[in-house]
């Protein structure tokens, strides 16, 4: 089986040299010289751990969203809760649909053809990867826009942002992303088996297939655009929160509560931006690099980057695999940075921060209290002296 044959039901036969050049997974695992350096990095334990942790985190997030959504006091948060629930449900399905396939390929000795002789499963896997990945990015952008509107233009937001609008937006995003992911099924673009032969994704080096470069480039550009929109809107939200917090500064209970909520939200937004950048930037930038160089993952060099056999067209297999793993890790981290982290850690962080702040000003407060007591005592003595003279 060759990598380019995963979508072909007929499976075009090639000569021995082409098979050895393209069937990377078998070559890596059969070669004693590269087995320790390459195959050891593709353990089945990683996809199993990702599936279990992803299911646990997203299931907890769905339970918390359902409980919060039913509460009457959370009417203003229903749009946000709908987005969080949709993101958790999408990430959960993404894990359930793709991880078992990867685990099955590992159990089959990294031989994709043993479980997918027709090539249809590879196309299904590619559609899932594209749909769930791009939907998570677009939904993050939609949530960032929603938060920015709520902070920077609260009057317009309260009048126009209804739950029905949120549901329609989520449905439109899902349909558009799914239609885009199905383009290779319609003949525009191509899904191919990727190193080390355990997953399928968009082909980046096949210039002969119609629309392949357009499809791959569009995916990378849409992903980067979504990241930029999310980062820009989150920066606007943080700026708006800080401005409103300064205008509400005071000693009242509402002012203190607003400061606490501002601190929690700012920390959460910073966490979201860091997670998105770390998880998605390597893959999207690497895809653009591969597209410009006309390089596919099956042309990667499994040897050490310092090997004399590495050429300018070679792609580091381990780096490419790490990039896709980071993108998949985003499905696990999403419920934590959007919901669970806020509920569990942010409040404790704010308590610690307030305690430190109180400790730093405690001496000043004690001095002020002592001075006020002394002034009050002097005033009482003065009043007593004046009353006796009268």
């Amino acid at each position: 089986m060759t990598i380019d044959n995963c979508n072909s039901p007929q499976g075009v036969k090639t000569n021995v040299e082409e098979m050895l050049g393209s069937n990377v997974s078998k070559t890596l695992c059969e070669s004693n010289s590269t087995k320790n350096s390459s195959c050891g990095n593709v353990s089945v334990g990683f996809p199993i751990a990702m599936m279990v942790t992803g299911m646990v985190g997203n299931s907890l997030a769905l339970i918390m969203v359902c409980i919060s959504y039913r509460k009457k006091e959370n009417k203003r948060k229903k749009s946000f809760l709908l987005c969080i629930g949709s993101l958790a449900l999408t990430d959960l399905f993404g894990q359930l649909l793709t991880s078992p396939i990867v685990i099955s390929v590992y159990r089959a000795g990294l031989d994709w053809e043993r479980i997918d002789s027709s090539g249809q499963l590879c196309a299904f896997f590619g559609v899932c990867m594209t749909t769930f990945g791009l939907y998570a990015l677009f939904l993050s952008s939609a949530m960032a826009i929603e938060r920015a509107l709520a902070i920077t233009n609260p009057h317009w937001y309260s009048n126009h942002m209804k739950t029905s609008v949120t549901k329609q937006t989520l449905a439109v995003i899902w349909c558009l992303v799914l239609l885009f992911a199905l383009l290779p099924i319609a003949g525009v673009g191509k899904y191919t088996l990727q190193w080390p032969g355990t997953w399928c994704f968009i082909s980046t080096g096949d210039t002969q297939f119609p629309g392949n470069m357009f499809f791959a480039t569009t995916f990378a550009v849409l992903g980067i655009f979504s990241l930029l929109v999310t980062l820009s809107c989150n920066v606007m939200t943080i700026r708006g929160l800080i401005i409103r917090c300064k205008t509400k500064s005071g000693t009242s209970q509402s002012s203190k509560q607003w400061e606490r909520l501002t601190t929690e939200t700012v920390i959460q937004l910073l966490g979201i931006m860091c997670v998105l950048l770390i998880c998605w930037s390597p893959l999207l930038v690497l895809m653009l690099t591969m597209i410009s160089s006309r390089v596919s993952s099956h042309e990667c060099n499994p040897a050490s980057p310092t090997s004399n056999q590495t050429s300018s067209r070679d792609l580091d297999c381990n780096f490419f695999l790490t990039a896709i793993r980071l993108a998949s890790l985003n499905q696990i981290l999403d419920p934590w940075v959007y919901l669970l982290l806020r509920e569990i850690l942010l409040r404790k962080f704010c308590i610690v921060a307030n305690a430190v702040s109180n400790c730093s000003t405690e001496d000043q407060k004690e001095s002020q209290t002592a001075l006020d007591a002394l002034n009050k005592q002097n005033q009482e003595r003065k009043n007593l002296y004046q009353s006796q003279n009268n």
Side-chain angles (χ1 to χ4, degrees):
M1 178 199 70
T2 62
I3 292 179
D4 292 334
N5 289 339
C6 67
N7 284 329
S8 173
Q10 303 298 329
V12 180
K13 298 297 182 180
T14 60
N15 56 40
V16 176
E17 292 181 357
E18 290 175 338
M19 289 185 66
L20 292 177
S22 60
N23 196 353
V24 179
S25 60
K26 286 187 177 181
T27 303
L28 292 180
C29 294
E30 292 174 358
S31 172
N32 292 330
S33 61
T34 60
K35 182 177 181 179
N36 294 332
S37 62
S38 299
C39 292
N41 293 332
V42 288
S43 171
V44 69
F46 194 88
I48 292 177
M50 290 186 64
M51 182 180 69
V52 173
T53 53
M55 291 175 59
V56 172
N58 287 292
S59 298
L60 287 175
L62 283 173
I63 294 174
M64 294 181 65
V65 166
C66 291
I67 295 174
S68 299
Y69 191 82
R70 294 177 180 178
K71 295 181 179 180
K72 295 181 179 180
E73 59 267 23
N74 287 336
K75 289 184 178 181
R76 295 183 179 181
K77 297 181 180 180
K78 283 195 173 183
S79 294
F80 177 76
L81 292 173
L82 281 174
C83 293
I84 289 292
S86 179
L87 182 62
L89 187 63
T90 301
D91 290 339
L92 180 61
F93 270 99
Q95 291 287 331
L96 291 176
L97 292 178
T98 58
S99 295
I101 299 176
V102 176
I103 296 171
S104 299
V105 177
Y106 276 104
R107 291 177 59 86
L110 297 181
D111 188 357
W112 184 277
E113 192 174 22
R114 288 179 58 183
I115 65 170
D116 183 28
S117 57
S118 65
Q120 296 180 357
L121 187 61
C122 184
F124 172 78
F125 196 99
V127 170
C128 289
M129 290 286 291
T130 303
T131 301
F132 294 121
L134 206 56
Y135 182 80
L137 286 172
F138 279 11
L139 189 54
S140 298
S141 298
M143 294 170 65
I145 294 173
E146 185 262 348
R147 282 190 299 265
L149 289 175
I151 296 300
T152 59
N153 200 345
H155 297 292
W156 184 93
Y157 179 86
S158 60
N159 293 329
H160 296 85
M161 198 61 186
K162 309 298 182 182
T163 55
S164 59
V165 177
T166 304
K167 294 177 181 178
Q168 293 173 4
T169 303
L170 295 176
V172 169
I173 294 175
W174 175 257
C175 291
L176 291 177
V177 169
L178 182 60
L179 289 175
F180 176 79
L182 291 175
L183 285 179
I185 309 300
V188 181
K190 188 178 183 181
Y191 292 119
T192 58
L193 194 64
Q194 309 288 323
W195 189 89
T198 57
W199 59 290
C200 291
F201 196 52
I202 301 171
S203 176
T204 57
D206 191 353
T207 58
Q208 306 298 326
F209 200 85
N212 191 60
M213 291 297 100
F214 166 79
F215 181 68
T217 304
T218 303
F219 176 85
V221 171
L222 287 176
I224 293 177
F225 175 75
S226 178
L227 282 180
L228 293 176
V229 171
T230 304
L231 296 179
S232 301
C233 291
N234 284 342
V235 170
M236 291 175 56
T237 303
I238 292 174
R239 181 176 178 272
L241 283 170
I242 294 175
I243 292 175
R244 291 183 64 179
C245 187
K246 289 181 178 179
T247 59
K248 292 178 178 290
S249 61
T251 59
S252 63
Q253 186 67 25
S254 61
S255 298
K256 293 180 179 179
Q257 184 178 8
W258 176 259
E259 291 178 2
R260 179 181 60 80
L261 292 175
T262 299
T263 304
E264 291 181 3
T265 306
V266 168
I267 295 173
Q268 185 187 33
L269 293 178
L270 291 175
I272 291 171
M273 291 190 291
C274 291
V275 168
L276 283 176
L277 284 175
I278 294 173
C279 290
W280 279 102
S281 295
L283 178 62
L284 296 175
V285 173
L286 183 60
M287 283 189 65
L288 289 179
T289 304
M290 294 168 64
I291 293 169
S292 61
S293 303
R294 302 293 191 268
V295 176
S296 295
S297 68
H298 59 270
E299 297 174 350
C300 67
N301 186 357
S304 173
T306 59
S307 174
N308 295 329
Q309 298 178 353
T310 303
S311 65
S312 59
R313 280 180 56 85
D314 282 334
L315 173 70
D316 184 9
C317 293
N318 292 326
F319 180 75
F320 182 68
L321 186 61
T322 301
I324 193 64
R325 281 177 170 177
L326 283 175
S328 301
L329 190 63
N330 184 245
Q331 295 178 330
I332 300 174
L333 296 178
D334 274 341
W336 294 96
V337 296
Y338 280 103
L339 186 65
L340 300 179
L341 181 65
R342 184 186 183 105
E343 295 293 335
I344 297 174
L345 297 180
L346 290 184
R347 296 186 185 278
K348 292 183 179 180
F349 177 87
C350 293
I351 291 174
V352 173
N354 290 333
V356 173
S357 177
N358 291 336
C359 289
S360 63
T361 57
E362 186 175 355
D363 293 338
Q364 182 179 356
K365 289 182 178 180
E366 290 179 354
S367 300
Q368 184 65 34
T369 302
L371 182 61
D372 292 341
L374 182 61
N375 291 334
K376 183 178 180 180
Q377 185 178 5
N378 291 335
Q379 184 66 31
E380 290 177 351
R381 289 179 179 178
K382 184 177 180 180
N383 293 336
L384 180 61
Y385 178 77
Q386 289 178 353
S387 62
Q388 290 176 352
N389 291 337
N390 293 333

